[in-house]
Amino acid sequence: MGKSYKQPQKREVMAGSKLEIEMLQYSLNEANQKLAKKSADLNTVTRIMEQTTKVADQRKEKVENLIKLTTTLTKRVTYWKVAAIIEAGIIIGQILLKVVA
């Protein structure tokens, strides 16, 4: 036949066990405090990184705008140089025609 199961006797919590539990609870509280501080530090770093990213994006946009402006100005300066060279050629041509005529 089957063995009968004996229920273990209830033991009273010994003083040493209570002390161990209190020490573990203290350690757990300390760990929770450290975790809370690290979480706060992480949140601060996250906010700083988000702000830094925003500033970097703004600077990138400014640089892109400056590049566009520089390109536009370079095209205009080149246009005016070509126009000045053509005008100088016309003036020299008129002077040469007056000298020859």
Side-chain angles (χ1 to χ4, degrees):
M1 300 221 182
K3 289 185 175 181
S4 64
Y5 177 73
K6 289 184 180 179
Q7 194 162 1
Q9 293 179 353
K10 290 185 180 180
R11 293 185 343 190
E12 290 187 28
V13 178
M14 297 176 16
S17 296
K18 284 184 180 180
L19 180 61
E20 288 175 6
I21 290 171
E22 288 175 0
M23 289 174 59
L24 289 172
Q25 285 176 336
Y26 180 79
S27 296
L28 179 62
N29 288 339
E30 279 188 336
N32 283 333
Q33 289 173 356
K34 287 179 182 178
L35 178 61
K37 182 175 180 348
K38 293 292 182 183
S39 294
D41 292 346
L42 180 60
N43 289 336
T44 301
V45 169
T46 301
R47 283 194 307 273
I48 291 170
M49 290 299 294
E50 288 171 352
Q51 185 63 30
T52 302
T53 301
K54 287 179 187 176
V55 170
D57 289 344
Q58 291 171 351
R59 288 182 180 170
K60 179 185 173 195
E61 186 178 340
K62 285 181 182 179
V63 167
E64 288 172 351
N65 290 339
L66 286 173
I67 289 170
K68 288 178 186 176
L69 179 64
T70 302
T71 302
T72 302
L73 290 175
T74 301
K75 287 178 183 177
R76 288 183 185 175
V77 166
T78 302
Y79 170 79
W80 287 110
K81 282 181 181 179
V82 170
I85 291 170
I86 292 171
E87 189 175 343
I90 291 171
I91 293 172
I92 291 172
Q94 288 175 346
I95 293 171
L96 289 175
L97 287 175
K98 287 181 183 179
V99 170
V100 173

